[in-house]
Amino acid sequence: MEQGVLKHRRTTLERAEKFISTIYFTDVNLQGKLYPKKADVKSLTHWAAPNLKDEHLRFEKVVKQKFTPVKVGQQFGPTWATHWFRVDVEVPVEWVGSEVHLRWNSGSEALVYVEGKPRQGLCSEYDRLDYPLSESLQADNRSFTVYIEMACNGMFGAGDNGMIAPPDLNRQFTLSCCEVAVFDRRVYNLIREVELLHDMAKHLPEGSERGYQALYTVNAMINACDVNDPTTFQKCHEISSKFLQQKNGDSQHTTYAMGHAHIDTAWLWPYSETRRKCARSWSCTIRLMEKYPEFTFTCSQAQQLDWLRRDYYDLWCEIKKYAKEGRFIPVGGTWVEMDGLIPGGEACIRQFLLGQNFFAQEFGAPCKEFWLPDTFGYSGQLPQIMRHCGISRFLTQKLSWNLVNKFPHHTFWWEGISGHRVLAHFPPGNDYGMKGKVEEVGLIMLLRSSQNFKDKGRSDKSAFLFGFGDGGNGPSEDMVERLNKMKDIDGLPRVKMSTPDEFFSAVEEEDGGNLCRWTGELYLEMHNGTYTTHARVKKMNRLCEMLLHDVEFVHTVAFIELIAHVYPYGQLPKLWKLLLLNQFHDVLPGSSIGMVYKDAHEHYEEIMTQGNEILAKGFRDVVRKGNFLFPKPGQTKCIIRNNLSFDRTEVIVIETEPSGSGPAKKPAKKRQKRSPQKQAKAQQYNSEGHALYCVNIGSYGYSFLDPVTSIQPAEVQEQDGMYVMKNSLLEAHIDQQGRVVHMYLAGSDRDAVDKEYPANQFVMYDDIPLYWDAWDVMDYHMETRKAVTDVISETEVLDQGPLRVSLKFSLRISDKSRINQQIILDAGSPFLRFNTEVEWYENRRMLKVEFPTSVHAREATYDIQFGHIRRPNHRNTSWDTARFEVCGHKWSDLSEHGFGVAVLNDCKYGHSALDNVLRMSLLRSPKAPDRMADMETHTFSYALMPHAGIRMDPHTLTYALMHHFGTLQEADVNKHAYCLNSPLYTVKIECDLDLPPSTSFFSMSTTQVVLETIKLSQADRGVIVRFYEAHGGTCRATMTTSLRRQITNAVLVDGLELKLKGEEDQVDLTHTENSITFTIKPFQIIAVKLIGF
Ligand SMILES: [Zn+2]
């Protein structure tokens, strides 16, 4: 009798590892016996597809092409090309009864077609190389023909020297394997058992008895196994079974496992490749579903499913079959997994509206969970937006990427700025699939999941998303086998193949009352350069959001006011979908390759062109038909439209026709007869020869040009080497470099600008991140500040008043880059505007503009979706410090009691505030994954707005200083930021009437409540009006319409335009024939369907 050998932990572990290694000792280990027999295919022929962008090649077309012989070892390319192969197989008769696989490795992604239908994806990176031809080969069925579509890209694109590097466009891919092989399933099962025992021995807490039991069991298995004698395999299996059958106690944590494939809708590859990635991934999923009846799979992003429906109808039908069984589970509810910070509030709602429409229509029900695992931070208004759209559950994991602070929860109540709550879960594996961490699949992840779990004691369950993302084709057979084996093994969390609904329901029912709460945004301490990268995409996003808003407003009015007006029901969803698609979490943030932006800008172009066309047509109809005007050549009226829910008095520019007898001058001439003196004051031609007027337009309305004449002029004069710009509200002192040295509110000697440092100071920073080039701006960039002071042309006067004064100057950033700026002050304007042009050709440098103020405050305030958020402007804690660069929308503000300074912008999202200085991030210059990111000329506007509770009377343009009303709310910072973003729109219309009507279709009793959206409901042509409370305080507000038809009923609805139940009491909605009145809480979103129109 031999004595037991004392085991050394490390050597025993490594022995087990080598026994199933795919690299070492494969000639004598178990892994080496997985494919005991191999043979060449009978024939291999090939056809290179022409490069047809965005055209999905139909199989029927492909098979008609001329295929020519090729050999294993040949190369195919270049990057992004498509190659088709026909593979004919004649399996040797000796293999009858065996499981036979076709093995394929083209160093790329590929899709197997059988009998004309897509069957299964292949991907070299994660060794998905097998396509099973037969589970048990029949003697009379040994011939097979398959087609393989090879895509010349890897799962992460084709980065030249590194994953996120721009693609190498000339890469060749080698076909290194095309063969048939016997697959020995007994060996495969033993490998899974050895792996499981090895992983338990290695990863259970050191010193745990269970770990040692696993170690000794795996050692005994190897001792019993003769890899050349399959009759020994049964004995090995019996040894492991004895161990694996030992069960857990009742208290064990439960892991709700769900298959998933996080497919980026575009990233290191273009949109068109994603369409194919989906087919490759989900065909793999369907094959697994056929084999494993318990296997479930969660799938987000309506857009991707919609692409599949169009491109791969056979596969789509298979998916719908499994969806009906509740195993292929649509999740998320949104059109794409969008960025969580930059999209506007209304766009976020549309993500749900169009997404849930699709899910309900195609799968019979909307999704129950919002699913955003990979997005770079989550707005504090998302909980309410979710609730508004009928969703109360949220899943992500991205905050595990935090660089500094560990987020303290995995399961918790997330409460937004409005007080609305959702149940949030971060799968504690801190991953949504295995990106580059193949060794972590399965057991290690599972252990890490339960060990990481931060809410132990409050909850004993967590979700586990398994599957390779992007081109990795989702869950693999190995993963499903592992999880099946781990259902209930003593020492490991229980594994339950599950659904998100089952998981969240269990948490809600059993743990909901125990959970902690997190209030406010979920800030990701990483990727904060994405608020700035690809500036033009951000600008187009903002413009297109505004444009679609305007289209909906105008056509809703047209629908109500005119007989038989056709609302653009067909075009609007199409344009919205393009905009929503570009809000994907690698497109809008600026972290995709250059090819993606070519597509993205084509989408924006389409939205702008078509959107403007339907807008112009709708508005012409409203004005002409609504006033019974008819075209009359020569009689051109100039009409100004206000697309906002605020009354406005502003200076506008009307392009004057070169002939000199242009229409813009006509109203002026008429008026001159009546009051020549005033008119002389009230009209001006700017430096480009265009006419300026000051006009007064009601909210959501229009007016014929009817200039305001009683207006205090704007002036500019030189004084002690500086220019002093002045209107009735402001006085700004500008130096030769275009910097604001002093700024006063009229009637006050309080300087808004810091004593020592001027505002509107451009500053450059080194911007070299650790790895994620387009994504990250690092904290150390702040130590490299360099002021831009190299003057090309000093400040000079451009416009002299009385309606507009302006200055211009130019600065040199470097030999390649420069700034040209105009500083503008209009009569009656509460802000100083900066129209900026930057020629930008830098390398890993960042441009900001800074505004040192005289304000003493502990927090800065930032505009976000449907509200605002306060963040510290100091660095007390590591959480404060880590938020050195933050996302804001149309304005940021620093306020003390009675006085504040706001910075407004028309397309920027990156901000920072430290002590008394507000900074806005203007441009970055990362080189990966897009070498050309931001290398062009950019134009944008921003404005500086000090406030001390100035209240303007919009009609007389008088003002009053109210020192005790100095808040940003009282000063209407939000309103003025909207105005900067939505210039009054001017159009010339030929008509035969001289009567100048002016109309405000919708008006609000207070600027505290913004009427954000006016649209027709998708279902029944009711008018949907959506409001939000913008100041952070409860109030009662009235909306009045001047529309011809009357309101007969007003119903509260949600974001999906369905009748809301249960909130009527709080809102206390009442209506008359032309108004509705309701109570609205801080930052609340309320949508009302008006019936009767
Ligand atoms: Zn992603």
Side-chain angles (χ1 to χ4, degrees), residues 262-264 267 337 374-376 398 432 435 470 584-586:
H262 176 76
I263 303 176
D264 287 312
W267 180 29
E337 285 181 13
D374 193 30
T375 290
F376 314 149
K398 198 69 178 184
Y432 45 79
K435 246 180 200 168
D470 295 324
F584 177 74
H585 67 254
D586 278 308

Side-chain angles (χ1 to χ4, degrees), residues 774-1047:
W775 291 257
D776 288 352
V777 49
M778 303 303 297
D779 52 358
Y780 49 79
H781 87 278
M782 294 182 288
E783 297 169 328
T784 63
R785 178 188 176 279
K786 289 171 201 75
V788 178
T789 54
D790 191 356
V791 177
I792 297 169
S793 58
E794 290 190 342
T795 309
E796 60 182 289
V797 176
L798 206 57
D799 292 302
Q800 308 252 21
L803 292 176
R804 169 168 294 177
V805 293
S806 70
L807 307 173
K808 67 168 188 176
F809 65 94
S810 299
L811 300 176
R812 185 179 290 104
I813 296 170
S814 69
D815 292 346
K816 297 172 189 157
S817 305
R818 60 189 281 170
I819 299 165
N820 305 311
Q821 194 171 60
Q822 286 183 25
I823 305 180
I824 297 164
L825 185 65
D826 284 345
S829 171
F831 54 71
L832 189 62
R833 192 164 89 236
F834 304 86
N835 286 358
T836 314
E837 180 187 86
V838 183
E839 296 163 32
W840 181 247
Y841 299 93
E842 295 302 301
N843 183 1
R844 272 89 167 200
R845 303 219 294 160
M846 187 175 188
L847 176 68
K848 299 191 188 189
V849 60
E850 66 185 20
F851 302 92
T853 71
S854 66
V855 175
H856 177 72
R858 305 288 297 149
E859 287 172 320
T861 311
Y862 303 87
D863 176 43
I864 63 168
Q865 296 87 349
F866 298 125
H868 59 249
I869 191 166
R870 294 203 169 87
R871 301 182 179 110
N873 61 338
H874 52 78
R875 297 170 180 165
N876 275 0
T877 68
S878 60
W879 293 82
D880 301 335
T881 309
R883 285 192 281 178
F884 55 85
E885 177 85 7
V886 295
C887 187
H889 287 194
K890 297 185 288 294
W891 53 266
S892 59
D893 182 274
L894 266 181
S895 284
E896 59 186 43
H897 178 66
F899 190 86
V901 176
V903 175
L904 324 178
N905 74 80
D906 72 351
C907 60
K908 297 296 166 194
Y909 295 88
H911 303 268
S912 52
L914 186 63
D915 299 328
N916 64 329
V917 185
L918 282 173
R919 289 191 179 86
M920 193 160 65
S921 300
L922 301 176
L923 293 166
R924 296 186 70 221
S925 46
K927 301 300 169 197
D930 179 7
R931 198 173 284 119
M932 294 308 291
D934 284 315
M935 297 297 101
E936 58 180 321
T937 298
H938 301 264
T939 56
F940 48 87
S941 285
Y942 55 86
L944 187 60
M945 177 178 166
H947 52 87
I950 293 173
R951 280 255 173 107
M952 272 193 300
D953 179 330
H955 303 291
T956 62
L957 278 182
T958 56
Y959 65 92
L961 262 181
M962 291 180 286
H963 286 288
H964 55 294
F965 281 122
T967 65
L968 65 97
Q969 288 90 341
E970 294 296 338
D972 274 332
V973 166
N974 193 50
K975 165 188 161 173
H976 292 294
Y978 266 97
C979 295
L980 183 77
N981 277 272
S982 176
L984 289 171
Y985 177 88
T986 308
V987 65
K988 291 164 192 166
I989 288 184
E990 288 186 340
C991 60
D992 65 352
L993 266 190
D994 206 21
L995 191 77
S998 142
T999 308
S1000 165
F1001 293 110
F1002 297 86
S1003 58
M1004 296 300 303
S1005 59
T1006 167
T1007 56
Q1008 183 173 349
V1009 179
V1010 178
L1011 171 50
E1012 175 77 14
T1013 299
I1014 299 163
K1015 72 187 283 285
L1016 279 201
S1017 82
Q1018 51 178 11
D1020 58 6
R1021 304 177 180 223
V1023 172
I1024 304 285
V1025 280
R1026 190 167 2 256
F1027 310 88
Y1028 74 95
E1029 194 289 323
H1031 289 177
T1034 300
C1035 80
R1036 198 152 170 80
T1038 298
M1039 179 206 82
T1040 309
T1041 87
S1042 65
L1043 293 163
R1044 292 171 190 211
R1045 286 188 258 173
Q1046 294 179 351
I1047 300 170

Side-chain angles (χ1 to χ4, degrees), residues 22 26 29-39 95 98-104 122 126-133 177 179-188 191-192 227 233 477-478:
T22 54
T26 50
N29 75 3
L30 188 58
Q31 183 70 41
K33 304 297 172 189
L34 188 58
Y35 300 99
K37 293 170 192 163
K38 292 178 181 175
W95 296 9
S98 303
E99 182 170 342
V100 178
H101 289 188
L102 172 69
R103 308 205 73 223
W104 173 272
L122 297 167
Y126 284 151
D127 287 341
R128 199 185 295 259
L129 309 174
D130 287 27
Y131 172 69
L133 292 170
C177 174
E179 63 186 14
V180 277
V182 168
F183 180 83
D184 191 330
R185 193 146 288 268
R186 290 167 308 172
V187 171
Y188 176 78
I191 289 171
R192 295 279 78 80
V227 297
F233 294 172
E477 182 167 7
D478 293 0

Side-chain angles (χ1 to χ4, degrees), residues 1012-1083:
E1012 175 77 14
T1013 299
I1014 299 163
K1015 72 187 283 285
L1016 279 201
S1017 82
Q1018 51 178 11
D1020 58 6
R1021 304 177 180 223
V1023 172
I1024 304 285
V1025 280
R1026 190 167 2 256
F1027 310 88
Y1028 74 95
E1029 194 289 323
H1031 289 177
T1034 300
C1035 80
R1036 198 152 170 80
T1038 298
M1039 179 206 82
T1040 309
T1041 87
S1042 65
L1043 293 163
R1044 292 171 190 211
R1045 286 188 258 173
Q1046 294 179 351
I1047 300 170
T1048 55
N1049 197 6
V1051 185
L1052 274 187
V1053 293
D1054 65 9
L1056 308 183
E1057 304 176 359
L1058 303 171
K1059 191 169 184 296
L1060 261 184
K1061 293 180 200 104
E1063 288 185 31
E1064 291 89 343
D1065 290 352
Q1066 294 165 19
V1067 173
D1068 189 18
L1069 175 67
T1070 59
H1071 72 90
T1072 69
E1073 61 195 29
N1074 70 345
S1075 74
I1076 59 168
T1077 301
F1078 51 87
T1079 301
I1080 188 166
K1081 290 190 176 156
F1083 304 128

